[in-house]
Amino acid sequence: MISVQDALAHCLALAQVLPPETVPLAQGAGRWMAVPATARRDQPPFPASAMDGYAVAGDPAVGDSFLVVGEAGAGHAFAGTIGPGEAARIFTGAPVPEGATRVVIQEDVRRDGDRITLTGTDGGANIRPRGQDFRAGDSLAPRLLRPNDLALLAAMNVAQVTVTRRPVVALVATGDELVMPGEEPGPDQIIASNGFALKAMIEAEGGLARMLPIARDTEAELETVLGLTEGADLIVTIGGASVGDHDLVGRTAGFAADFWKVAMRPGKPLMAGRLDGVPMLGLPGNPVSAIVCGHLFLLPMVRAMLGRPDAAPVPREARLTVDLPANGPRAHYMRARLAAGPAISPFDRQDSALLSILGQADALLIRPVDAPPCRAGDTVPYLPI
């Protein structure tokens, strides 16, 4: 067996960054921007009014009177120049006229025909200087594009973004015991569940998942289903990675393993390597084991293929709410629940077949190899899930 850290290093070494592609900005949400984007203009592109009011020159005081000589609205600049004793009606976002030095807010003005008198002053210029937000030539670094980023890129006049191609992940569940949801299982069969969680996890991380037909426990059947993985960037098998007579994945023709078995629970029967040159990850068949290993190994591989620098999961810390005994020779990823503080409470039942417990969990409490006993109040590492 190898350590979790060594297994992750092997997995990340298999996951090469995929090539970039250019997509319209409207299709960029949730994509990894592969190269910096450069602003093509200043924002704002001119000194702009921050308020509705009147643009005036100089340093006006309460009681001063001005002649209104024009109006400036958003998208409609006032073409003239504001001189002493003059004002232009102006609205938020409009270009500030030449000669104006401040915008007096409309609440501080009394208007009578084409003249205004200042009744108060907030003391501010209320002008957004040109380039206050960003300048032409400023850049936005590679990142996972959120809705806020799309607004920024649009303001930068960037119509297309260069993003990493989404990795295509082929999911192959194996086993005679499995049937799909909605089918009628035999007396010795169960419902295939792992693939649905893994597909959702992959796609939430930016990949594209293809769920292939269940591969039955014969070499010919497995070879047939694996033949459907053509074009995938990563092949993930679920089950068939243990040591039983029917665990065929490790004996698949063309498969070269980097490792087999990891010192962890749940998830000891895990393997990775290449199948005819394509990265392949063999997950355990136990439901919780497969999903936990998905968080620890599969999602980091997807992130690495996208070119993300934060591919490896980074543990956080929380205060333990109960006593825990010493751990053994395998790292234990305990299903747990977080509370304010943050505080963390592991569930009493940790059987790797209990999906109902995993459904209530929002964290994996990490017990390192040979960790000593912990007391309530101790700080412990965890991963959010």
Side-chain angles (χ1 to χ4, degrees), residues 221-233:
E221 176 82 8
L222 181 59
E223 290 283 356
T224 297
V225 177
L226 288 175
L228 302 176
T229 65
E230 184 177 355
D233 302 297

Side-chain angles (χ1 to χ4, degrees), residues 52-77:
D52 291 346
Y54 292 85
V56 299
D59 189 16
V62 174
D64 288 352
S65 178
F66 300 86
L67 176 66
V68 179
V69 296
E71 182 175 296
H76 302 279

Side-chain angles (χ1 to χ4, degrees), residues 4-5 263-266 327-333 366-370:
V4 171
Q5 292 74 21
M264 62 177 289
R265 57 181 175 134
N327 193 36
R330 290 192 285 159
H332 192 186
Y333 291 82
I366 304 171
R367 298 288 285 139
V369 172
D370 297 327

